[in-house]
Amino acid sequence: MRGLLCSPLLMLLLFLQPWETQLQFAGPRCRTGPLDLVFVIDSSRSVRPFEFETMRQFLVGLLRGLDVGPNATRVGVIQYSSQVQSVFPLGAFSRREDMERAIRALVPLAQGTMTGLAIQYAMNVAFSVAEGARPPEARVPRVAVIVTDGRPQDRVAEVAAQARARGIEIYAVGVQRADVGSLRAMASPPLDEHVFLVESFDLIQEFGLQFQGRLCGKDLCAEGGHGCQHQCVSTPGTFHCACNPGYQLAADNKSCLARDLCNGVDHGCEFQCVSEGLSYRCLCPEGQQLQADGKSCNHGCREGHVDLVLLVDGSKSVRPQNFELVKRFVNQIVDFLDVSPEGTRVGLVQFSSRVRTEFPLGRYGTAAEVKQAVLAVEYMERGTMTGLALRHMVEHSFSEAQGARPRALNVPRVGLVFTDGRSQDDISVWAARAKEEGIVMYAVGVGKAVEEELRQIASEPAELHVSYSPDFGTMTHLLDNLRGSICPEEGISAGTELQSPCECENLVEFQGRTLGALEKLTQNLAQLTARLENLENQLATQK
């Protein structure tokens, strides 16, 4: 962080002065109409002295941009750690200078982090008429701004919900070590407008600019300080950064990186995408030709008939950004299938602590419809009940009521389980039951997935039905393996025989692969025999 590059004193000397001007609006101060505004400040021991000083200046800077007065904005400040202390209530001061004096005299409590207790105090005391809040019938907006740097040591969701139900609008500002889940549990909807997370206290000014913009309707891009590398886009009360054509927004939501168009979810290339500047082109494997659509390849998988159900892990260990990569991966599988009512039917089930059918086998008849539905899937979070998901798949997903074709038609039934960790329930019974029901099972593991469980889920041989990637960003290398396994004419079919055994090309290809595997096995056996003979000779010499 920037604050670690120099001494705290020097940093403050450089930083505090811009606050005196940066958070003030040019010309007349912001006039929002009557407003009751309470700041709830974390002063626990984890907030270091120079960070607390920065937060103090943050409050002073905000005050200087507000129209403070008995009939305009009333301001109150409370601080909390293991206890709650009122710095000054809403009715205490009508002059900005008095408020600033009280804030500058503020001494941190330096104990625990009881954020729920602070919210309860704000709701029951700070926003009471006795403390200076205007009565509910006056319909004056009540706004609480919670600034914290850590995980609460008490529960916040229930008391925050009560506060919101009483008409208090809550902004949750997290700094450094703050817990995002707790911030989201506290804040008012929409969360993207009420939850802010900054890397350090010296970047808290970004929230200050956006908060003032929401109150005052300012053009925050014109105000400066937005930090956008290419473009700043103003919306009422806030802003966001955008990039020039050919670039995409980086993780910091400010910088721009040259875009690899092939990493998008909708390039549509069936086999391989190659980026070329601001454009891209699709490639096919050797021996296959690109079709007229410029995306698909003329290979046998387009003629395969399969009922495919995907079980996708939506537990909290996956995380939202990785879940988006999983959805992209699923759509890349869909790209090499002939999705149609007569061809391949696709169903999707998401599981965590519970199981949810996102769409059954019989719902969508085209690849485009399936991919659109996949992109619309919302992340579940919570636990990892893989056994429960397997049971749901066996009992429901492959039923004719869900769109599976009758067994008499001999359409292969394929289940693909995608997971990133150990199951919290037993999988053995329903993994075995799936295979007894004739479902060909594939297991794809990422990160901390357990190999033993993947092999238990998958059909035999495990080498053809288990795939693993160390992280979500490198999953795409698994696609070739899955294509050759699931796709009936690109290797061993979803059953146990070739889709077209009479086609010479397939027979020759199969024989070539088999002979190659046998030759490698023979070489390994020869090496093992030589080692054993060498060991016997050594033992004989020692005798």
Side-chain angles (χ1 to χ4, degrees):
M1 287 180 288
R2 294 184 298 184
L4 299 179
L5 299 179
C6 55
S7 71
L9 178 59
L10 179 57
M11 183 193 73
L12 286 174
L13 290 174
L14 292 174
F15 175 73
L16 295 184
Q17 180 59 34
W19 268 96
E20 302 296 326
T21 57
Q22 187 169 356
L23 283 183
Q24 296 181 68
F25 291 104
R29 290 190 173 89
C30 168
R31 297 188 179 276
T32 62
L35 176 70
D36 287 345
L37 175 63
V38 173
F39 292 97
V40 183
I41 304 301
D42 180 354
S43 66
S44 58
R45 66 173 65 92
S46 62
V47 181
R48 287 164 284 191
F50 72 90
E51 294 174 336
F52 192 81
E53 182 62 29
T54 303
M55 186 154 55
R56 192 199 311 273
Q57 295 300 324
F58 157 73
L59 293 177
V60 171
L62 274 179
L63 286 175
R64 295 186 179 183
L66 298 175
D67 181 25
V68 174
N71 300 317
T73 299
R74 297 184 186 180
V75 179
V77 177
I78 63 177
Q79 65 167 336
Y80 72 94
S81 58
S82 298
Q83 56 185 327
V84 182
Q85 180 188 77
S86 175
V87 180
F88 57 86
L90 286 167
F93 302 123
S94 60
R95 297 193 319 139
R96 186 176 296 99
E97 294 78 7
D98 297 329
M99 297 179 186
E100 290 184 15
R101 189 177 301 109
I103 290 172
R104 295 188 189 281
L106 189 59
V107 177
L109 300 173
Q111 296 174 359
T113 311
M114 303 294 284
T115 311
L117 182 65
I119 297 174
Q120 186 172 20
Y121 181 92
M123 174 177 63
N124 294 333
V125 180
F127 280 107
S128 67
V129 175
E131 291 284 290
R134 279 156 282 201
E137 56 269 22
R139 297 185 180 276
V140 173
R142 295 180 173 184
V143 177
V145 178
I146 303 171
V147 183
T148 180
D149 83 322
R151 182 187 295 272
Q153 295 174 335
D154 57 354
R155 296 184 177 182
V156 298
E158 183 176 348
V159 68
Q162 293 174 0
R164 295 192 300 267
R166 292 193 189 182
I168 301 173
E169 183 178 9
I170 300 177
Y171 289 84
V173 185
V175 185
Q176 267 179 331
R177 303 165 289 272
D179 177 57
V180 177
S182 299
L183 297 177
R184 294 172 65 88
M186 292 187 284
S188 298
L191 295 180
D192 59 347
E193 294 183 5
H194 291 82
V195 176
F196 295 84
L197 187 63
V198 295
E199 293 179 359
S200 60
F201 279 91
D202 59 336
L203 296 178
I204 201 171
Q205 57 181 331
E206 296 179 8
F207 165 74
L209 289 170
Q210 294 194 38
F211 180 70
Q212 283 189 331
R214 286 201 174 93
L215 292 181
C216 308
K218 299 288 289 185
D219 184 347
L220 296 180
C221 292
E223 291 293 316
H226 51 74
C228 299
Q229 183 177 358
H230 284 182
Q231 303 173 27
C232 177
V233 180
S234 276
T235 53
T238 185
F239 70 90
H240 67 271
C241 299
C243 297
N244 296 332
Y247 293 84
Q248 62 186 11
L249 209 57
D252 63 0
N253 290 322
K254 294 180 180 295
S255 306
C256 294
L257 303 173
R259 176 179 297 162
D260 181 1
L261 296 179
C262 292
N263 282 333
V265 297
D266 54 1
H267 59 72
C269 294
E270 181 181 326
F271 178 70
Q272 183 179 358
C273 175
V274 178
S275 289
E276 295 180 338
L278 299 180
S279 184
Y280 67 90
R281 60 189 178 94
C282 300
L283 297 179
C284 291
E286 185 176 354
Q288 298 181 19
Q289 294 181 347
L290 197 64
Q291 297 299 284
D293 62 3
K295 298 179 182 293
S296 58
C297 304
N298 63 337
H299 65 110
C301 191
R302 288 294 177 186
E303 299 175 2
H305 296 178
V306 175
D307 283 348
L308 173 64
V309 173
L310 299 143
L311 300 184
V312 176
D313 185 347
S315 60
K316 63 182 177 182
S317 60
V318 175
R319 300 194 175 186
Q321 63 271 28
N322 290 329
F323 191 73
E324 293 303 312
L325 294 177
V326 172
K327 293 197 292 186
R328 179 192 303 177
F329 182 78
V330 168
N331 276 348
Q332 288 173 315
I333 293 176
V334 174
D335 280 335
F336 65 72
L337 300 174
D338 176 29
V339 179
S340 67
E342 297 76 25
T344 295
R345 298 183 184 181
V346 180
L348 180 65
V349 174
Q350 184 182 178
F351 66 94
S352 59
S353 299
R354 56 191 178 89
V355 182
R356 183 173 73 203
T357 297
E358 301 295 352
F359 53 87
L361 283 167
R363 177 165 299 174
Y364 300 116
T366 67
E369 291 174 337
V370 171
K371 291 171 69 175
Q372 185 176 2
V374 170
L375 292 178
V377 170
E378 295 184 356
Y379 177 42
M380 293 174 68
E381 296 188 305
R382 299 189 180 179
T384 309
M385 304 292 281
T386 313
L388 185 65
L390 289 169
R391 177 176 182 175
H392 180 90
M393 179 194 71
V394 172
E395 293 185 338
H396 302 286
S397 300
F398 283 107
S399 66
E400 292 183 34
Q402 293 271 300
R405 282 162 283 198
R407 291 185 181 277
L409 297 180
N410 293 320
V411 175
R413 295 182 172 184
V414 179
L416 191 154
V417 179
F418 183 99
T419 182
D420 84 321
R422 183 184 295 275
S423 177
Q424 295 174 333
D425 61 350
D426 179 65
I427 65 169
S428 59
V429 174
W430 291 100
R433 180 74 176 275
K435 285 168 273 191
E436 291 171 3
E437 293 288 326
I439 303 170
V440 180
M441 295 298 300
Y442 292 86
V444 178
V446 179
K448 295 182 180 180
V450 180
E451 181 181 0
E452 180 184 353
E453 289 190 354
L454 297 178
R455 288 177 172 271
Q456 200 170 11
I457 292 170
S459 298
E460 295 290 344
E463 290 72 20
L464 293 179
H465 296 85
V466 174
S467 301
Y468 175 78
S469 178
D471 60 72
F472 290 89
T474 59
M475 291 187 300
T476 53
H477 78 277
L478 304 178
L479 287 170
D480 288 341
N481 295 338
L482 290 172
R483 180 187 289 109
S485 300
I486 297 175
C487 195
E489 291 193 2
E490 290 206 12
I492 298 177
S493 73
T496 57
E497 60 186 19
L498 292 172
Q499 180 76 8
S500 303
C502 296
E503 293 185 7
C504 293
E505 287 185 11
N506 286 339
L507 287 173
V508 171
E509 180 184 356
F510 176 77
Q511 290 172 352
R513 291 201 307 269
T514 304
L515 291 173
L518 288 173
E519 183 178 356
K520 186 174 181 180
L521 180 61
T522 302
Q523 291 173 355
N524 291 339
L525 288 173
Q527 292 175 359
L528 180 59
T529 301
R531 290 178 183 175
L532 289 173
E533 290 177 353
N534 186 36
L535 181 60
E536 289 175 356
N537 293 334
Q538 291 179 3
L539 291 173
T541 302
Q542 290 176 359
K543 290 179 180 180

